[in-house]
Amino acid sequence: MLVLCLALLIVMDFVQGRDLMRGYLKQAQEQLLLQRAHQMEQLLVSAGPAKASEVAESSMTQWAQEEALLAAAIIDRDQRVFLGSRLIWRGGLASRLLEGYQGELANRALLSGRPLLTVAPQRASLQLYYPLVQLKPHLEPRLLYMEQDLTPLNEISHQLFLQRLVKLWSVGVGLVLLIWWLSQRMMVRPLTALRQEARRLGEPQLADAPPRQLKEIDQLWQGFLQANQRLRLGYSQLVESEQRWLYAVEGMKAGVWDWRIDRDQVYFSHHWKAMLGYRDDELLSSFESWEQRLHPEDRERVLAQLQDYVEGRASSFENQHRLCHRDGHYIWVVDRGMIVDWDPRGRPRRIVGSHIELTEEASRGRREHHEVVSRSGLLEELESALMSDTEPGAALLAYLDLDDFKLINDVHGQDSGDRLLEQVLQRLETQFAQAGLVRRLGGDEFALLLIGLDPHQQALAAQAQAFAEQILAVVARGWLLEGKPVHLGTSIGLALSQPGALSGAEPLLAQAELALFKSKERGRGGYCLFKAELQHQVRQRLWLRDALSQGLSQGEFCLYYQPVMDEKGEIHSAEALLRWHQSQRGEITPTQFLPIAERYGLCYDLAELQLSQACRDLAVMRRYGLSELMLKVSPRQLLWPPFVERLNHHLDEQGVPARMLVLTLAGAELTPIDRELFAVLTDLNTLGVRLALDNCGAGYLALSQLSQLPVARLKLDTRDLCAGGAAAAPARPLLQAQADMAAAMALEWMATGVDDDGCYQWLRELGCVRFQGYLFSAPRPLESFLALLRTKGRTAPLALAHTETH
């Protein structure tokens, strides 16, 4: 900015000074011309009439030698040249001979009797019309005309101003450098040091004070030190406050929630989630996470009370309600909240509150009406019952969950459903009076405890089985709801506490819950007795779930490619197969991790990975001549709402035509097709992506539905055929029938699982033209598959049979 201001001042001074200098030189030249004309007039007067011509001629001769004097002439009364600096002008008309001469200006000067000076811009000259008034009227000379060239004056002025400009710039640049040096020394360096120290705000000791040349900088540094002290003091107070708050919250085991109303975000503390059986990373930070877990009977009351508090109709927010535990039962909590922040309009912006789980004693009054205990309450009662048992023997815990009880609530209403649950509890208490404990947990779950089982009288497993069958029979007996007969079924999980075992109530309840979970997996209306391997299976499943999530984030999954050969022994296409190399356990098969991904919703992340890598790799394979790639997906992945959109995105991103991709569905995974899945398949077909069906006939898909689906290809499994021996005999007619069915439906078909040369030869006789199996190649990583493509796939079928591994 200083340089720009200086340059502007110099330019203005240069322009103004140049004009002044030119004016000064012009004025000097005018004075010179007037002086010379006056001298000429005096010479003519003093010479007299006789010698006037001689004197004038002598002066004109001298003037003719001057280059800057363009013209000089004495004009008579008739506007003719009496005498001029050139002899040829004598006697001629001045207006014709003198280029710059103007008769009007000459007459004006003669009439006024005063010299007239004028500038001719076109000629860059100065003209003087000087009337010779001191000569006697009868003499011939009347006017002296002189024209002076101004070009030399302009050059002189230009050189002078160039010298002036150089001096001005030299002084200006020096002044700017001086100002810059002073600003660096007195302002920039101290401020830079302050900026660097600002990054260390909050540290106990800052660096030495920066160099200070100005009083203001010193005051700024002192204020900076004071701000750092206040910051450290505030931070220390904040830490102490948080420690006291944490001690108070931890001490009373409260679950803290923090609701940002303006952002619709809710923070749940570790205790809040643990109270409901969740890990820190398992619940979304949203208001719905809490609202959806409210007991149906409490939801309307609690939400109305919260709304009144937010809108200012209530002075406080405190109530007691039930929240759904992860295991499905409900727990009683005391909920308190307080508004701590408002927006500029006075509307609540933030509410902070806590949940405290009620103890068994505090919730006893509610249980008398609802006959519901929390999980913690049940554990206390179980622990008390097990500790007070004086009879030798084992204990058996039965954990019940009524099958599809939600349908009864949906049809008959929540109140009717609760009345039916009370009937169930009463019947269980009546029929199993010998049980040490009969309790109803949240929802439609019940717990029964038998103690004092004698293992010598009958095997404990047999006693547990007999007890479970009794419960099934009791629940299956008819029920009346609002005068109408209702049927109920239940699933039961059983857990035994062996005589002399040190296991407490919590492990026993956890085992019963695992057994109930396994019973539901097998189907409704059954029971399952906990065994050690069941816990191992659950642990394995949980490990797979966590490792699967971690593996997705760490890039442990990739696609392998198995070629599909044609009848000429060339690669026709390929199938992309998902592989997982776990960092600790090595290769994990798809049959192990895919069901886990489906169960816990990780299949959507796998779908994104499969679509992205398959389209990216297909774009590479396309350059090697491959025109088709098959990719296996599951029905649940297809029902992922953005599946078609994400597929289209990756195809467009890689520039791959949709017709080059074939999505494969396993027939064993297809239930009867619903409208939603059929709509997705139709959208894929419209997009241009073809569909193939693997293991046709292995699932619930009817042939009538198959004819309606937009399927272009069937993949027929020939592993039984390739097994050889007795297993191959019944497989051949079945494969023949499937091939005939595909031909009748105008569908392509190909053979998979071709691992034997005899199978390959028989398939060729059958008319098969597409083959896939380990006879040709095992699934390969991309680089290895590209190397195979470089050979154009021309290899004898048996050549690769023993060179690839599974």
Side-chain angles (χ1 to χ4, degrees):
M1 290 298 296
L2 288 174
V3 173
L4 290 176
C5 293
L6 179 63
L8 181 61
L9 291 174
I10 291 176
V11 169
M12 291 175 62
D13 179 78
F14 173 76
V15 173
Q16 186 177 7
R18 180 187 60 185
D19 294 339
L20 290 174
M21 183 61 73
R22 287 179 177 176
Y24 172 76
L25 292 175
K26 175 176 171 292
Q27 184 179 4
Q29 187 64 43
E30 291 175 352
Q31 294 295 331
L32 179 61
L33 286 179
L34 288 173
Q35 183 179 2
R36 298 180 71 176
H38 181 70
Q39 290 177 357
M40 173 64 76
E41 183 181 22
Q42 295 299 322
L43 287 174
L44 292 176
V45 170
S46 61
K51 296 184 179 181
S53 297
E54 183 179 350
V55 171
E57 186 175 357
S58 175
S59 297
M60 288 294 175
T61 302
Q62 294 179 2
W63 288 355
Q65 305 300 321
E66 299 181 13
E67 296 181 0
L69 190 63
L70 298 178
I74 299 175
I75 310 301
D76 60 13
R77 295 189 180 112
D78 299 327
Q79 296 289 323
R80 293 181 178 275
V81 178
F82 176 75
L83 188 65
S85 55
R86 295 184 184 181
L87 297 177
I88 59 175
W89 291 346
R90 183 174 296 182
L93 288 174
S95 58
R96 293 182 180 180
L97 297 177
L98 305 176
E99 295 182 5
Y101 181 82
Q102 299 183 36
E104 295 178 359
L105 297 179
N107 291 330
R108 188 186 305 172
L110 288 172
L111 291 174
S112 63
R114 290 179 296 181
L116 177 62
L117 285 167
T118 182
V119 176
Q122 297 83 359
R123 298 175 55 79
S125 63
L126 178 64
Q127 298 173 349
L128 172 62
Y129 298 87
Y130 190 88
L132 301 174
V133 295
Q134 296 185 22
L135 295 180
K136 296 180 178 181
H138 63 275
L139 295 179
E140 287 294 334
R142 301 300 298 165
L143 180 73
L144 176 61
Y145 171 75
M146 301 177 70
E147 185 178 10
Q148 180 74 27
D149 188 7
L150 296 179
T151 302
L153 295 180
N154 292 335
E155 293 179 355
I156 293 173
S157 65
H158 180 70
Q159 293 177 0
L160 291 176
F161 279 100
L162 283 180
Q163 296 175 4
R164 176 186 175 89
L165 185 63
V166 171
K167 292 179 181 179
L168 286 175
W169 270 106
S170 299
V171 174
V173 170
L175 182 61
V176 169
L177 291 176
L178 178 61
I179 294 174
W180 177 83
W181 179 80
L182 290 175
S183 64
Q184 286 286 325
R185 179 178 178 82
M186 302 180 68
M187 296 181 62
V188 176
R189 292 179 183 176
L191 291 176
T192 302
L194 281 174
R195 184 187 65 184
Q196 294 174 351
E197 289 302 308
R199 300 173 182 174
R200 301 176 56 214
L201 274 175
E203 295 184 5
Q205 185 66 35
L206 298 178
D208 295 335
R212 305 186 297 275
Q213 302 293 336
L214 297 175
K215 180 180 179 181
E216 290 76 6
I217 298 294
D218 183 67
Q219 292 175 349
L220 181 60
W221 173 250
Q222 296 301 324
F224 185 78
L225 293 178
Q226 294 174 4
N228 186 57
Q229 292 177 356
R230 288 194 296 269
L231 178 62
R232 286 195 52 78
L233 178 60
Y235 176 75
S236 176
Q237 293 174 348
L238 178 61
V239 170
E240 293 177 359
S241 176
E242 288 185 349
Q243 289 173 346
R244 288 192 294 267
W245 177 83
L246 182 62
Y247 175 78
V249 171
E250 293 289 339
M252 64 181 182
K253 301 299 182 182
V256 177
W257 53 269
D258 186 348
W259 181 23
R260 296 301 300 264
I261 302 176
D262 54 343
R263 303 177 187 173
D264 194 24
Q265 293 179 351
V266 182
Y267 162 78
F268 299 113
S269 69
H270 167 76
H271 274 302
W272 196 96
K273 296 180 180 179
M275 188 186 306
L276 298 178
Y278 291 93
R279 297 198 313 266
D280 289 345
D281 59 343
E282 285 188 318
L283 281 180
L284 295 177
S285 298
S286 66
F287 182 83
E288 288 75 14
S289 296
W290 167 70
E291 182 182 4
Q292 293 171 358
R293 284 160 180 79
L294 285 171
H295 194 282
E297 292 182 357
D298 302 334
R299 179 179 289 110
E300 184 177 354
R301 170 179 58 86
V302 174
L303 293 179
Q305 187 174 350
L306 179 60
Q307 186 71 18
D308 290 342
Y309 179 61
V310 171
E311 294 181 358
R313 292 189 294 269
S315 59
S316 63
F317 175 70
E318 179 177 351
N319 61 67
Q320 298 175 359
H321 58 262
R322 287 162 288 179
L323 289 176
C324 184
H325 194 274
R326 180 181 182 180
D327 298 332
H329 65 275
Y330 284 88
I331 63 172
W332 280 96
V333 297
V334 177
D335 190 4
R336 297 184 180 92
M338 182 176 67
I339 300 175
V340 297
D341 190 20
W342 293 262
D343 63 14
R345 297 183 179 180
R347 296 175 298 188
R349 185 161 54 189
R350 183 181 179 191
I351 301 179
V352 178
S354 65
H355 283 164
I356 302 177
E357 184 177 5
L358 288 175
T359 62
E360 182 66 16
E361 292 76 12
S363 60
R364 191 180 306 277
R366 295 169 185 82
R367 193 170 70 246
E368 289 176 357
H369 175 70
H370 296 283
E371 297 295 342
V372 175
V373 295
S374 65
R375 177 182 173 85
S376 59
L378 177 62
L379 287 173
E380 292 179 7
E381 293 194 47
L382 285 175
E383 193 71 39
S384 177
L386 293 174
M387 294 293 294
S388 62
D389 182 20
T390 57
E391 300 181 11
L396 173 64
L397 177 63
Y399 198 89
L400 285 65
D401 184 10
L402 299 181
D403 296 334
D404 296 327
F405 192 80
K406 183 177 181 299
L407 296 177
I408 294 179
N409 285 333
D410 294 340
V411 174
H412 299 279
Q414 186 72 37
D415 293 338
S416 299
D418 283 345
R419 287 194 296 270
L420 181 58
L421 291 174
E422 292 176 5
Q423 296 180 42
V424 174
L425 179 60
Q426 292 173 4
R427 182 183 291 185
L428 291 175
E429 289 176 336
T430 302
Q431 295 294 324
F432 301 100
Q434 78 278 14
L437 192 68
V438 179
R439 292 288 182 267
R440 175 192 164 195
L441 284 83
D444 52 4
E445 296 178 351
F446 300 85
L448 291 84
L449 178 67
L450 285 181
I451 56 178
L453 299 180
D454 186 0
H456 301 290
Q457 181 179 1
Q458 187 182 12
L460 292 177
Q463 295 185 56
Q465 180 179 354
F467 184 53
E469 290 177 352
Q470 292 177 22
I471 296 175
L472 291 176
V474 169
V475 175
R477 290 209 310 259
W479 302 89
L480 286 177
L481 182 60
E482 299 177 348
K484 298 179 182 179
V486 176
H487 173 76
L488 291 180
T490 185
S491 300
I492 307 173
L494 302 168
L496 283 166
S497 176
Q498 300 290 345
L502 298 179
S503 59
E506 188 166 359
L508 186 64
L509 180 57
Q511 293 173 4
E513 289 174 333
L514 289 177
L516 174 61
F517 182 76
K518 188 65 175 180
S519 175
K520 289 182 178 181
E521 278 192 337
R522 295 175 179 175
R524 307 288 181 176
Y527 59 88
C528 176
L529 178 62
F530 175 81
K531 297 180 180 179
E533 56 268 22
L534 179 60
Q535 191 167 19
H536 173 73
Q537 293 174 7
V538 174
R539 288 178 179 174
Q540 176 69 10
R541 180 184 299 142
L542 292 177
W543 180 88
L544 277 174
R545 181 194 64 184
D546 297 337
L548 185 62
S549 177
Q550 184 179 7
L552 281 168
S553 62
Q554 294 182 355
E556 295 177 353
F557 289 85
C558 66
L559 292 179
Y560 274 42
Y561 299 94
Q562 188 175 27
V564 176
M565 314 300 290
D566 61 13
E567 70 277 11
K568 298 179 181 179
E570 298 180 354
I571 295 179
H572 171 265
S573 57
E575 182 172 19
L577 302 170
L578 192 61
R579 292 293 183 264
W580 180 16
H581 183 82
Q582 211 278 329
S583 57
Q584 298 177 353
R585 300 191 182 183
E587 296 293 334
I588 298 180
T589 63
T591 55
Q592 292 178 288
F593 68 80
L594 286 179
I596 301 299
E598 293 281 335
R599 176 181 295 275
Y600 294 104
L602 297 172
C603 58
Y604 305 137
D605 296 327
L606 288 177
E608 177 67 20
L609 182 146
Q610 289 174 273
L611 296 177
S612 174
Q613 185 173 348
C615 293
R616 184 172 63 251
D617 293 349
L618 179 56
V620 177
M621 299 175 190
R622 186 183 182 188
R623 296 197 292 267
Y624 289 83
L626 193 76
S627 60
E628 178 182 287
L629 179 66
M630 294 186 292
L631 176 65
K632 188 172 183 180
V633 294
S634 69
R636 187 171 180 184
Q637 288 177 322
L638 289 178
L639 291 175
W640 181 35
F643 182 88
V644 178
E645 178 185 351
R646 297 303 300 162
L647 173 58
N648 192 25
H649 166 76
H650 290 299
L651 288 172
D652 291 342
E653 185 178 44
Q654 302 299 333
V656 175
R659 56 180 172 77
M660 297 183 66
L661 188 65
V662 180
L663 295 182
T664 302
L665 288 170
E669 298 177 356
L670 288 176
T671 57
I673 303 296
D674 58 11
R675 292 184 178 179
E676 187 176 0
L677 182 57
F678 186 81
V680 174
L681 297 178
T682 304
D683 291 342
L684 290 172
N685 188 52
T686 304
L687 184 63
V689 176
R690 290 175 291 167
L691 300 174
L693 186 63
D694 197 3
N695 295 329
C696 179
Y700 297 95
L701 187 65
L703 293 180
S704 60
Q705 287 185 312
L706 176 61
S707 63
Q708 299 174 2
L709 292 178
V711 174
R713 179 179 304 167
L714 297 182
K715 298 177 64 179
L716 306 184
D717 192 355
T718 63
R719 283 183 175 82
D720 292 337
L721 181 66
C722 295
R732 292 194 176 190
L734 179 59
L735 184 65
Q736 178 72 59
Q738 291 178 323
D740 293 341
M741 179 189 69
M745 300 180 66
L747 298 176
E748 303 176 15
W749 69 279
M750 58 174 289
T752 64
V754 183
D755 302 335
D756 180 80
D757 185 58
C759 173
Y760 170 67
Q761 297 300 333
W762 185 85
L763 288 169
R764 294 190 63 182
E765 295 174 2
L766 186 62
C768 182
V769 295
R770 301 287 183 267
F771 311 90
Q772 179 184 0
Y774 283 88
L775 175 64
F776 306 98
S777 173
R780 299 166 171 251
L782 178 62
E783 292 300 327
S784 178
F785 184 74
L786 293 179
L788 186 63
L789 283 177
R790 293 188 187 100
T791 66
K792 305 299 182 183
R794 294 184 176 276
T795 177
L798 288 176
L800 295 174
H802 304 292
T803 59
E804 303 290 347
T805 63
H806 291 260

